[in-house]
Amino acid sequence: MTDNAESADVICDPQELRTLFLFERLDDEQLAWLCRDGRMETFEPGLVFREGEPATCFYVLMEGEVVLTKQSGGEEIELVRTSHRGSYAGAWTAYMADKVDQSYSNSFYITEPSRFYVLDAAIFAQMMQEWFPMALHLLEGVFFGNRNSNEIIGQRERLLALGSLSAGLTHELNNPASAAVRATSALRERVAGMRHKLKMMAHGKFTPDTLEALVQLQEEAATQVAKAPTLTPLETADREDELGDWLDEHGIANGWDIAPTFVQAGFDIDWLERVAGTLEGCGSNVFEGAIRWLNYTVETELLMNEITDSTTRVSSLVNAAKQYSQMDRAPFQVVDIHELLKSTLVMLARKIGDDITVVKDFDRTLPQVPCYAAELNQVWTNLIDNAVGAMQGRGTLTVRTYRENDCAVVEIGDTGPGVPAELRHRIFEPFFTTKPVGEGTGLGLDISFRIVAKKHGGDIRVESVPGDTRFIVRLPLDPPGRSAAVAEAVGDSVVQSNLGGE
């Protein structure tokens, strides 16, 4: 009992207790038992009990007004304000003994002088066990059955998500890997062609100066590939026509086939004229062999660039997968939240698709965040997956970060139809889903809420109008109890509402 409770006892009247919905079906002996082992107390405005303290009493409102609050993201959030007679709070799970955490999961305030029926937790537990043994078994079955169901289906949900991510990652890895294999095969052919042309050129009439100039042109060709300008489709077509005509006029058979390679490398007619001037007087066969030799050089460089790009892409995907899964990393760590978001976007790239525009509005001044990184990636996965589903594969996905007081804030926004106002208060409930039967379990947002609110002491909310839905996640930058052990203990506890009504 807190200091704002009056010390004088107030008479407990069994008939007054009978007027409450909680006790209206009890017989005279039971009501007398309640008055004998319980008590009436009056309280002045102020705190009755604080969240996290040992749950020692069960309170039933007789008259007055109460407020129930909870800590979220470093702030105390008001959950309920009521003057309804019979509303109860406190140690209402005492009958489950040590099977559940026996501490107050909310803070309880009085706003005006109020009167309560108060029962010690141990007596309340004894009453439930003696009077309602069957009801007690049913309550425990519902309580633990729901919790076990949440865990089992949550695990299945994670496995399904992992399977989907694995399929997407396999597809993403297959593309660059296949490109690297194709480029390697083509490169082998081009290198063989270069050896063949070099042998043919060796039988030509080259002066040392001409051969040296030709090798210099080859070096220039290799260097030019890395500096090739980006052309529009129209510019590319025009330049291919020009180079094709030039090669045809200079007796190069099927010059139209090699013109695109020179254009891709950034060469023009002036460069070809330099080649022609260097080989002047060497004969048409030697000239054509030299042109094709230079073409092989350019193709070789382009293919090596393609292999480099493909293998770099594979490496980036593997690194993103490691970042996403937090492989070989401590569960609790201080991380750059943007790296987690980027790795999640990479993992979901195939699901996001080409018809959704991704906008990343990151506040790079945001400090690093102490968190369970792998579990936050699960939150981002759930929120992004829901956003993509809401847009039905077409729209704009916005991922925004910023700082708000002592919290890092992450917003996941979409341009879908929005969440109806009458459903917003239910979207974090276990098993509630707006998806068709078989397409959702209704646990994605519940799991996300548990990770953010319980494991990180943060907050997750939704703001929605048609065309602009935003899930807003707030994470404390300096959460209380940063150690992994403390955070784990918080994460494993089950948040239950402690205020009931008729």
Side-chain angles (χ1 to χ4, degrees):
M1 181 176 14
T2 56
D3 293 339
N4 67 329
E6 292 185 354
S7 57
D9 291 335
V10 182
I11 296 175
C12 177
D13 181 0
Q15 296 309 313
E16 184 182 19
L17 290 182
R18 178 167 284 161
T19 64
L20 303 179
F21 67 90
L22 279 178
F23 307 132
E24 61 186 1
R25 298 297 180 89
L26 299 183
D27 58 33
D28 291 342
E29 183 179 350
Q30 290 171 322
L31 290 172
W33 190 95
L34 286 177
C35 276
R36 182 179 68 251
D37 289 348
R39 59 189 180 275
M40 291 287 182
E41 292 185 19
T42 57
F43 291 80
E44 292 301 315
L47 177 70
V48 177
F49 58 76
R50 187 176 300 282
E51 178 181 351
E53 294 176 347
T56 59
C57 294
F58 177 71
Y59 298 85
V60 181
L61 179 65
M62 304 302 296
E63 57 184 341
E65 184 181 61
V66 300
V67 175
L68 188 71
T69 69
K70 187 168 185 62
Q71 288 290 327
S72 177
E75 298 180 13
E76 195 166 18
I77 307 299
E78 181 176 318
L79 301 179
V80 178
R81 180 184 293 262
T82 183
S83 57
H84 182 67
R85 294 182 74 248
S87 295
Y88 55 90
W92 71 278
T93 60
Y95 53 82
M96 295 186 188
D98 58 359
K99 297 177 183 177
V100 299
D101 178 34
Q102 294 297 335
S103 61
Y104 295 122
S105 60
N106 306 93
S107 295
F108 197 60
Y109 293 90
I110 305 300
T111 60
E112 61 185 48
S114 302
R115 187 163 60 95
F116 289 86
Y117 171 73
V118 183
L119 195 61
D120 289 342
I123 299 174
F124 175 60
Q126 179 186 355
M127 179 200 77
M128 291 291 292
Q129 291 161 2
E130 291 183 5
W131 292 359
F132 311 110
M134 182 176 177
L136 184 59
H137 288 306
L138 291 174
L139 283 171
E140 289 183 345
V142 170
F143 184 89
F144 293 109
N146 281 342
R147 188 166 73 175
N148 292 337
S149 296
N150 286 354
E151 291 176 356
I152 292 170
I153 296 179
Q155 290 173 356
R156 183 177 183 274
E157 186 106 332
R158 287 189 286 271
L159 287 173
L160 290 174
L162 180 60
S164 176
L165 289 173
S166 298
L169 180 61
T170 301
H171 178 81
E172 292 293 330
L173 286 170
N174 183 64
N175 288 338
S178 298
V181 171
R182 289 193 302 269
T184 301
S185 178
L187 179 61
R188 184 175 289 109
E189 294 178 2
R190 298 307 183 274
V191 172
M194 286 182 67
R195 292 197 302 265
H196 180 65
K197 290 300 177 186
L198 187 60
K199 180 179 179 181
M200 292 179 62
M201 291 170 61
H203 290 86
K205 296 179 180 179
F206 289 95
T207 64
D209 291 341
T210 301
L211 187 57
E212 183 179 351
L214 186 59
V215 172
Q216 180 61 38
L217 288 171
Q218 183 187 35
E219 292 294 332
E220 290 181 13
T223 303
Q224 175 61 30
V225 171
K227 301 184 295 184
T230 301
L231 303 176
T232 66
L234 183 60
E235 290 172 335
T236 299
D238 289 343
R239 187 168 292 187
E240 287 177 0
D241 288 342
E242 292 176 0
L243 266 62
D245 289 339
W246 187 94
L247 293 168
D248 188 51
E249 292 170 2
H250 286 74
I252 305 299
N254 300 319
W256 295 98
D257 293 334
I258 62 177
T261 303
F262 286 131
V263 172
Q264 187 179 355
F267 295 116
D268 53 20
I269 290 178
D270 290 340
W271 186 81
L272 291 176
E273 290 288 357
R274 286 180 57 203
V275 176
T278 300
L279 300 175
E280 188 175 358
C282 293
S284 60
N285 289 338
V286 171
F287 176 67
E288 181 172 354
I291 288 292
R292 294 193 181 279
W293 184 52
L294 292 171
N295 179 69
Y296 282 137
T297 299
V298 173
E299 284 187 316
T300 299
E301 290 295 322
L302 291 172
L303 288 169
M304 286 193 292
N305 285 348
E306 184 176 347
I307 292 171
T308 300
D309 292 342
S310 298
T311 53
T312 300
R313 174 62 177 163
V314 170
S315 178
S316 298
L317 286 168
V318 171
N319 287 336
K322 289 179 66 177
Q323 175 68 256
Y324 180 82
S325 66
Q326 293 295 297
M327 187 186 305
D328 302 328
R329 302 186 186 187
F332 189 78
Q333 53 187 301
V334 180
V335 301
D336 182 351
I337 207 76
H338 303 110
E339 295 302 319
L340 304 184
L341 291 166
K342 288 191 294 184
S343 68
T344 303
L345 289 170
V346 170
M347 295 295 289
L348 293 175
R350 185 166 178 244
K351 177 169 283 191
I352 293 172
D354 297 329
D355 294 328
I356 290 181
T357 301
V358 178
V359 176
K360 289 178 281 191
D361 182 9
F362 291 164
D363 178 3
R364 293 296 183 179
T365 65
L366 195 66
Q368 293 189 324
V369 180
C371 65
Y372 287 86
E375 298 193 35
L376 279 185
N377 280 338
Q378 187 178 357
V379 174
W380 315 141
T381 298
N382 290 336
L383 297 182
I384 293 172
D385 183 58
N386 282 350
V388 171
M391 293 186 287
Q392 297 184 339
R394 186 180 299 274
T396 300
L397 173 71
T398 302
V399 182
R400 178 179 294 112
T401 64
Y402 55 91
R403 180 167 183 166
E404 185 178 90
N405 300 323
D406 293 328
C407 290
V409 183
V410 176
E411 286 188 9
I412 307 295
D414 67 72
T415 54
V419 181
E422 63 271 18
L423 299 181
R424 281 176 215 158
H425 69 287
R426 298 193 59 197
I427 59 174
F428 294 107
E429 291 180 8
F431 305 108
F432 178 77
T433 178
T434 58
K435 295 179 181 178
V437 175
E439 293 187 17
T441 62
L443 285 178
L445 291 178
D446 173 59
I447 291 170
S448 298
F449 176 83
R450 289 169 180 269
I451 292 172
V452 172
K454 294 194 299 176
K455 202 140 194 177
H456 293 86
D459 181 47
I460 177 170
R461 301 184 183 184
V462 61
E463 296 179 0
S464 182
V465 295
D468 182 16
T469 296
R470 288 176 290 154
F471 281 86
I472 305 169
V473 178
R474 292 178 173 84
L475 298 167
L477 291 170
D478 188 19
R482 286 177 59 163
S483 72
V486 173
E488 189 68 36
V490 172
D492 288 341
S493 64
V494 178
V495 174
Q496 294 290 329
S497 174
N498 276 3
L499 186 65
E502 185 174 16

